[in-house]
Amino acid sequence: MQNSQRTPGVVPGRLDDATYRSNFDDLHPALDAHEASVAADRCYFCHDAPCMDACPTEIDIPMFIRQIQSGDPDNAARTIFEQNVLGGMCARVCPTETLCEEVCVRQTAEAKPVEIGQLQRYATDHLMAQEGHPFERATPTGRRVAIVGAGPAGLACAHRLALKGHSTVIYDARKKAGGLNEFGIAAYKAPNNFAEAEVQWLLRLGGIEIRYGEKLGEGLLLEELQDEYDAVFLGMGLAGVNALRTEGEEHAHVRDAVEFIADLRQAEDLSTLPVGRDVVVIGGGMTAVDAAIQSKLLGAENVTMVYRRGRDRLSASTFEQELATAKGVKIVLNAQPVAFNSEDGKTISSVTFAYTEDGATGFHLSEETFTLKADQVFKAIGQSLKGVPGVLETKGGKIVVDAAGRSSISGVWAGGDCASGGDDLTVTAVANGRDAAEDIHAMLTGAAG
């Protein structure tokens, strides 16, 4: 090992191979059959289950847990997939602690919910490991639908439409499908290329074609898709990255956290990824937490996550915050960068922050500042809509859609992060894509209201 945690600068190979493997191993090891049975026994099978109401895809949680309890994980998986075809990934990455598990009756009574996410993973993994696909396509209808974006929303939409007999073509700007699941989440949440395997499993249904390297607005035009297809669904996420517009932001080793996470997810050898000795991450959401934790796991000696508001405004869940601190990440609140400093005029060396005040009079920078040493900085301050045709109505940086996913243009639907209501969660994107597909199907078959 040529480098260590104390090596100055941004360098690869700070750890030995065994430590890399351990650091990026599965965050939550899968349950075995006995563990799943014990976990399922804790469920009260509530008739008015609050967990179902808290699930954006409305999975019948008591039903699938009862099926696991009775020794039938395959039908439990079918119950899940009927509502959420990406239930395997959602079982791994959903913030269940703020959704279904937060409202679990066991959580309310004992502060220990039923392990819904782990049980969902147990069932879906069991079925996905088998040959074939749990669903069968309806008779082909001859109708064709174009889908822009091979992320959770686009995949869910395509699968539901293909299930009903329609043919779908997904266009994606990248060379690999999966969207956020493939490029945007921490590697330790879905190791062993699960996102890629899930896409291949989904495609077994048939009726879904994916065309790569196709970007809306750059050779791929909405009006041409409208002419060629019977309907269009937009689920391309948020391709733009917000800028801080802070002095020195152009210095070397100041980069976007989403790019860092994508590079890490696609790396075949983690020891080749360079990381700083002193890393600063700016932001308070899931992307910031994922970048901070993974910097630490790659061997950074000091990692500090800085957010401009108080803890009550952090969008990262309490579980994620606690995970970050457990991994050695320091979280600093109420501070905003005012300068990225460089000793040589080219490469980042430190970041100066001003303390902030966020109260009844609004958000203000105080005159008091502090400086953190940094040889690498990751910006995780949100993403923005990019490349959307001007004919579509947008508001607040999102495509305006109704409850069914219909946009302002007839025959065009949208869902996921790019549309109003999207909240950077895989499970919400799946629900958007699924529901839009149902409305598209109703329109194609003349059943729409």
Side-chain angles (χ1 to χ4, degrees), residues 28-374:
H28 300 294
L31 301 177
D32 61 26
H34 175 70
E35 291 169 331
S37 178
V38 172
D41 280 341
R42 295 189 65 244
C43 184
Y44 285 138
F45 310 113
C46 308
H47 72 278
D48 56 349
C51 54
M52 283 184 62
D53 294 333
C55 175
T57 53
E58 299 176 318
I59 294 170
D60 191 337
I61 295 170
M63 173 63 80
F64 91 70
I65 294 179
R66 187 179 291 279
Q67 289 168 318
I68 291 174
Q69 185 194 48
S70 65
D72 191 4
D74 288 347
N75 272 323
R78 290 186 180 90
T79 297
I80 295 163
F81 289 137
E82 284 172 0
Q83 293 295 104
N84 182 348
V85 73
L86 299 183
M89 180 60 80
C90 287
R92 289 163 165 80
V93 304
C94 264
T96 54
E97 66 277 1
T98 62
L99 295 172
C100 54
E101 292 180 11
E102 182 180 49
V103 298
C104 175
V105 175
R106 286 282 195 180
Q107 169 68 16
T108 305
E110 305 166 9
K112 184 181 179 182
V114 174
E115 296 175 275
I116 299 172
Q118 283 288 77
L119 287 168
Q120 180 167 315
R121 175 177 173 177
Y122 170 74
T124 53
D125 283 3
H126 192 276
L127 184 56
M128 289 175 68
Q130 301 175 36
E131 295 295 326
H133 193 76
F135 303 112
E136 184 177 340
R137 286 192 72 197
T139 303
T141 64
R143 298 301 188 98
R144 301 171 70 238
V145 179
I147 295 172
V148 181
L155 290 169
C157 184
H159 186 273
R160 184 57 64 102
L161 287 169
L163 188 64
K164 294 180 180 295
H166 309 300
S167 295
T168 62
V169 178
I170 305 177
Y171 296 86
D172 196 87
R174 297 183 186 263
K175 296 180 180 180
K176 200 173 187 181
L180 177 69
N181 291 351
E182 178 61 52
F183 297 96
I185 62 170
Y188 53 81
K189 293 179 179 177
N192 304 316
N193 296 316
F194 180 79
E196 182 177 3
E198 186 176 50
V199 171
Q200 295 307 311
W201 172 84
L202 181 147
L203 294 177
R204 291 181 195 171
L205 176 68
I208 304 171
E209 176 188 350
I210 303 180
R211 299 180 185 177
Y212 299 103
E214 299 276 4
K215 191 173 184 178
L216 191 65
E218 298 180 15
L220 185 66
L221 303 178
L222 179 60
E223 54 267 32
E224 292 180 357
L225 293 178
Q226 289 177 280
D227 289 341
E228 184 178 352
Y229 294 90
D230 296 297
V232 178
F233 176 80
L234 304 178
M236 58 281 188
L238 300 174
V241 179
N242 296 333
L244 280 166
R245 297 182 176 83
T246 302
E247 179 185 351
E249 192 173 354
E250 73 284 355
H251 290 322
H253 300 313
V254 178
R255 64 181 305 203
D256 298 318
V258 291
E259 295 177 357
F260 165 65
I261 294 171
D263 288 348
L264 193 154
R265 283 296 304 272
Q266 300 307 305
E268 294 184 3
D269 183 355
L270 293 173
S271 68
T272 64
L273 290 174
V275 70
R277 178 179 182 179
D278 299 288
V279 176
V280 172
V281 180
I282 299 168
M286 297 295 292
T287 300
V289 169
D290 284 352
I293 291 177
Q294 292 185 113
S295 296
K296 192 69 177 175
L297 298 181
L298 284 173
E301 184 177 28
N302 304 300
V303 179
T304 307
M305 190 176 109
V306 186
Y307 179 56
R308 66 193 184 111
R309 298 186 185 274
R311 190 171 299 277
D312 61 321
R313 299 291 295 275
L314 280 168
S315 57
S317 69
T318 300
F319 170 80
E320 295 288 342
Q321 295 174 48
E322 292 175 348
L323 180 62
T325 55
K327 297 295 184 182
V329 175
K330 181 180 180 182
I331 299 178
V332 176
L333 303 171
N334 296 112
Q336 180 169 308
V338 292
F340 294 98
N341 311 308
S342 173
E343 293 178 354
D344 62 6
K346 299 178 181 179
T347 305
I348 189 72
S349 60
S350 65
V351 184
T352 298
F353 293 86
Y355 285 109
T356 64
E357 299 169 354
D358 188 14
T361 59
F363 180 83
H364 307 283
L365 295 181
S366 74
E367 296 182 359
E368 185 178 0
T369 64
F370 65 94
T371 299
L372 292 177
K373 184 180 179 181

